[in-house]
Amino acid sequence: MIPRRTLLMASTGITTPAAASAPSSPRPGPRPGARKAGTEALHLAPARDQVAALCRREISSRDLLEQYLRHIAQTNPHVNAIVTLDADAARAAADRADRHLAATGRPLGPLHGLPMTVKDALETKGMRTTSGSPGLSGHIPDRDADAVALLRAAGAVLVGKTNVPVMCQDIQTSNPLFGKTDNPYDSTRTAGGSSGGAAAAVATGLTSLEVGSDLAGSLRLPAAYCGVHALRTSRGAAPVVPVRGHIPRPPGWATSSDMVTLGPMARTADDLALLLDVLVAPAPADRDGWTITLPAPARTELAQYRVGVWADDAYCRVDAETRTLLDRVTTLLRSVGASVDDATRPVDFAESNTLFERLLFATGSATATDSAFAADVAAAEKIPADDPAGLFLRSRTMRHRDWCVADEARQKLRAAWDRYFADHDVLITPAAPTAAVPDQTGTPPPQRFIMVDGAKRPFFDQTSWVNLASLVGLPSVVVPAGRTADGLPLAVQIIGPYLADRTLVAMAQHLAPHLPGPGRPPAARTA
């Protein structure tokens, strides 16, 4: 008889702690088989290793940047992830970092001299920021988005911008200015959206870190499809990462959607922690009186966690490979002694998703022109109240009183999640119903759909699982966890209570030694 643990390892690549080559610790080493990168290929190493080498002066920021620029020249044409490149400004910034370290012996900050890219939805002073919109093709901001300013203050060297759909309003990445970003594992599949360029860039080593935005899964869905980590950060009355300077709210607007957040994306959970420390801060106007201190992780060992698992739901079915993945992770957690509850549900899926859609459609109307909004109001008034097809227009044009009632329903859902997390540290769910779906850029939105085990499902079912956290401002991390039989990355989502961002990153770090990685994407092998 083959031991159960041996079957688990052989069939999935998921390892139990007794079999893992690395201990369950908050900062795991490289995945089995990985080699420590030398300085001749340092750009492919984790960001922490790059920063450490820079601070020890084993390599200069300028030399590391030149590695990145060569890699971008070789690899980016295969994925079209980076759409604006400012090599001259990056070289000047790298040289300043090198001079500062030589003169003072001190790094500029936790990202000292590290080259990285930024999603093209975040304004960058002196560097074109388009959000994929032809109307912004010449937009060169005169100030940084607040989050970008934090990156620069930490010593980052900004190299360029990564692709997005037009005004970030799609869950695949293509626009008339720059074209389509391909999934680095299969060019016929979507990289996801709206942070598809960011995810493809991280996966292929064009950057080790990225900052993405997330309203309806725009950060987490691309991460799942491209085999990288991403964290949607907490959002209460205000976000824990400042969002001013994020487009699609037009340049110059001071407000944003009340559900949008910014968060880190990286190839490792340890690098998520590095970038999270840089990004978490009050908005500039609040910094004289406020500070944000995220709580330490709730547990120190994987076996101590109280884990909920929501593996599937009739409202948004997942495919066989995704369900098998969730079963394997559940088995892994039980094998290490973690407390696992796979029966309790925090909320009703259908109720939560419908409320999310109503509030999403409502916030999306903010930037409509007066005439366009008036036309929507007129059209909504002609739709019978009981017609489900009117959800979009009725939500988009709801009265303020109706929004207040919907917001009250949201607060009740938040309370339900709070009750759930009184007895659970985290909840593990699918990140999406399937691995990356075929790209449908050329298909009109009403005709798009996905297939789940041979059944046709609505196109936007792709984001339903991640929307569970978006509605109520909870932190959520996507963790890569192997591949499908066709070689596409698979991932799980881990949701935690409000402000438990560090707990989620720690959970991802604990799991890393036991989960198979997605492997190096084919698009990156040309470098």
Side-chain angles (χ1 to χ4, degrees):
M1 179 176 179
I2 302 175
R4 180 168 169 270
R5 187 179 72 192
T6 303
L7 283 173
L8 180 68
M9 293 168 57
S11 62
T12 70
I14 296 176
T15 60
T16 62
S21 60
S24 179
S25 63
R27 290 189 179 176
R31 295 187 188 278
R35 294 182 180 179
K36 181 176 176 61
T39 56
E40 71 280 357
L42 189 62
H43 64 288
L44 298 178
R48 280 193 186 273
D49 292 353
Q50 295 180 46
V51 173
L54 288 164
C55 292
R56 291 193 297 262
R57 302 181 70 177
E58 295 171 0
I59 190 172
S60 69
S61 178
R62 178 63 180 269
D63 286 344
L64 180 58
L65 171 63
E66 296 300 334
Q67 287 187 16
Y68 271 106
L69 292 174
R70 289 191 294 271
H71 184 49
I72 290 168
Q74 290 177 303
T75 300
N76 193 55
H78 298 273
V79 289
N80 191 36
I82 297 176
V83 293
T84 292
L85 189 68
D86 193 341
D88 289 342
R91 287 180 173 121
D95 289 344
R96 285 194 297 272
D98 291 334
R99 288 195 299 269
H100 175 87
L101 186 60
T104 68
R106 297 189 304 274
L108 290 167
L111 301 181
H112 172 85
L114 181 70
M116 63 177 291
T117 59
V118 176
K119 182 178 180 178
D120 196 28
L122 290 169
E123 290 192 298
T124 42
K125 182 179 180 179
M127 188 186 301
R128 180 174 59 173
T129 304
T130 73
S131 199
S133 170
L136 294 174
S137 61
H139 175 51
I140 300 178
D142 59 6
R143 63 184 293 199
D144 285 327
D146 291 344
V148 172
L150 292 170
L151 298 177
R152 293 198 204 266
V157 172
L158 298 188
V159 180
K161 310 298 285 290
T162 50
N163 206 20
V164 298
V166 177
M167 299 302 278
C168 296
Q169 293 177 0
D170 201 348
I171 53 175
Q172 52 194 12
T173 296
S174 180
N175 61 65
L177 291 177
F178 307 118
K180 179 170 71 75
T181 295
D182 290 336
N183 186 295
Y185 289 85
D186 182 344
S187 62
T188 70
R189 304 279 175 158
T190 181
S194 61
S195 304
V202 172
T204 54
L206 306 181
T207 183
S208 59
L209 300 176
E210 255 281 0
V211 178
S213 53
D214 192 306
L215 198 166
S218 284
L219 174 66
R220 292 164 292 160
L221 186 68
Y225 284 175
C226 294
V228 299
H229 293 74
L231 173 70
R232 176 189 166 92
T233 51
S234 291
R235 176 158 190 152
V240 300
V241 177
V243 297
R244 191 214 57 81
H246 174 259
I247 304 171
R249 289 290 169 92
W253 276 51
T255 61
S256 68
S257 164
D258 66 340
M259 292 188 289
V260 73
T261 68
L262 304 180
M265 181 183 285
R267 287 188 296 276
T268 71
D270 204 33
D271 281 350
L272 284 185
L274 171 66
L275 189 51
L276 179 65
D277 287 343
V278 170
L279 293 173
V280 171
D286 298 325
R287 289 175 192 169
D288 286 345
W290 294 357
T291 59
I292 299 175
T293 304
L294 293 175
R299 311 291 172 188
T300 58
E301 297 179 9
L302 194 57
Q304 297 172 344
Y305 278 85
R306 301 170 301 167
V307 183
V309 178
W310 194 347
D312 201 356
D313 194 275
Y315 182 79
C316 187
R317 288 294 184 200
V318 303
D319 68 5
E321 288 184 295
T322 301
R323 180 56 192 262
T324 298
L325 169 64
L326 268 292
D327 290 343
R328 290 167 178 167
V329 172
T330 301
T331 300
L332 163 66
L333 290 166
R334 286 190 168 123
S335 75
V336 305
S339 171
V340 178
D341 172 13
D342 57 4
T344 307
R345 301 291 178 255
V347 294
D348 179 84
F349 203 144
E351 176 188 354
S352 175
N353 201 67
T354 299
L355 182 58
F356 170 79
E357 290 178 346
R358 292 187 65 210
L359 291 169
L360 173 70
F361 299 151
T363 193
S365 69
T367 57
T369 64
D370 290 346
S371 59
F373 186 71
D376 286 343
V377 171
E381 290 173 347
K382 298 176 182 177
I383 301 174
D386 59 351
D387 185 350
L391 176 66
F392 172 74
L393 280 176
R394 286 198 303 273
S395 300
R396 185 173 172 82
T397 60
M398 68 171 66
R399 295 174 181 268
H400 183 62
R401 178 186 179 278
D402 295 331
W403 184 91
C404 291
V405 171
D407 186 53
E408 177 65 18
R410 170 168 48 183
Q411 302 311 320
K412 290 178 179 176
L413 279 180
R414 281 179 169 155
W417 280 98
D418 287 346
R419 290 191 294 272
Y420 180 82
F421 283 124
D423 300 315
H424 305 79
D425 296 313
V426 298
L427 172 67
I428 297 179
T429 78
T434 69
V437 301
D439 187 90
Q440 299 176 58
T441 296
T443 303
Q447 299 173 25
R448 296 176 185 174
F449 61 89
I450 63 173
M451 299 297 294
V452 180
D453 283 344
K456 185 182 291 188
R457 297 289 303 174
F459 182 71
F460 286 98
D461 268 16
Q462 294 175 77
T463 64
S464 292
W465 285 97
V466 290
N467 289 343
L468 287 167
S470 302
L471 172 64
V472 286
L474 299 180
S476 164
V477 66
V478 161
V479 181
R483 294 190 290 179
T484 68
D486 293 332
L488 297 172
L490 284 170
V492 296
Q493 172 182 229
I494 311 175
I495 303 173
Y498 177 55
L499 298 179
D501 304 60
R502 296 195 190 283
T503 292
L504 296 185
V505 173
M507 182 72 170
Q509 291 170 315
H510 287 309
L511 284 173
H514 315 301
L515 297 179
R520 188 162 170 79
R525 291 176 184 157
T526 59

